[in-house]
Amino acid sequence: MADQDQDLVDVDLYDPGDGSLPVFRWKQAGHANLATRRQLREMGLRPGGQEPVARIECRGGKRFAWLYRIDLAKPKLPMTLAKEAALDKAMAARQTCGICRRRYFHCLQAAVLQPMQHTVRTIKASCGRW
């Protein structure tokens, strides 16, 4: 009986496979020094090049997030004028109709941005010019 117990191996079904990172289930990672990227962003921090130290899973392991140490996190970089101009230019490209060149407050579908791919229905729905 003792030799049979030596053959048994304790297996964690939620382990990512390599065993390098601890895996927590949803709402079980109650460590005060760990946070996800989104939680770090809310605190005004960023991971700052550190590797994740754990993983939190939900929906039966189908969705997960990496956990980072808060004490090693660095402050977020401030928004510069150049970054703001680049983001505004990118959003303008996504919000401008390819036919009437009108800029909307929401992002348009990819087919609306390219005039060659328009159909009658998308033109009427997007800018009403037909």
Side-chain angles (χ1 to χ4, degrees), residues 40-60:
L40 287 174
R41 192 178 331 126
E42 289 174 359
M43 292 183 244
L45 301 171
R46 61 185 171 97
Q50 66 172 307
E51 295 293 323
V53 294
R55 188 169 122 161
I56 187 167
E57 293 181 345
C58 64
R59 297 188 182 177

Side-chain angles (χ1 to χ4, degrees), residues 21-22 24 31-37 39-41 43 45-55 66-75:
L21 297 176
F24 298 104
H31 294 287
N33 61 343
L34 296 179
T36 63
R37 278 179 159 303
Q39 291 168 336
L40 287 174
R41 192 178 331 126
M43 292 183 244
L45 301 171
R46 61 185 171 97
Q50 66 172 307
E51 295 293 323
V53 294
R55 188 169 122 161
W66 300 114
L67 294 172
Y68 300 92
R69 289 181 46 187
I70 296 174
D71 57 339
L72 296 179
K74 297 180 180 176

Side-chain angles (χ1 to χ4, degrees), residues 81-122:
L81 289 176
K83 282 183 185 180
E84 189 174 355
L87 287 173
D88 186 51
K89 186 177 177 182
M91 288 304 293
R94 296 179 64 193
Q95 295 172 341
T96 303
C97 177
I99 296 172
C100 64
R101 307 306 303 163
R102 178 178 169 196
R103 185 170 176 179
Y104 291 88
F105 290 106
H106 60 277
C107 294
L108 301 174
Q109 297 175 0
V112 178
L113 297 176
Q114 300 169 354
M116 299 303 290
Q117 297 179 357
H118 275 304
T119 63
V120 175
R121 190 177 345 148
T122 58

Side-chain angles (χ1 to χ4, degrees), residues 6-53:
Q6 292 175 353
D7 294 338
L8 297 177
V9 178
D10 187 18
V11 177
D12 184 9
L13 298 176
Y14 302 108
D15 190 18
D18 57 359
S20 61
L21 297 176
V23 177
F24 298 104
R25 305 301 304 150
W26 182 249
K27 295 187 178 182
Q28 291 182 349
H31 294 287
N33 61 343
L34 296 179
T36 63
R37 278 179 159 303
R38 183 170 291 186
Q39 291 168 336
L40 287 174
R41 192 178 331 126
E42 289 174 359
M43 292 183 244
L45 301 171
R46 61 185 171 97
Q50 66 172 307
E51 295 293 323
V53 294

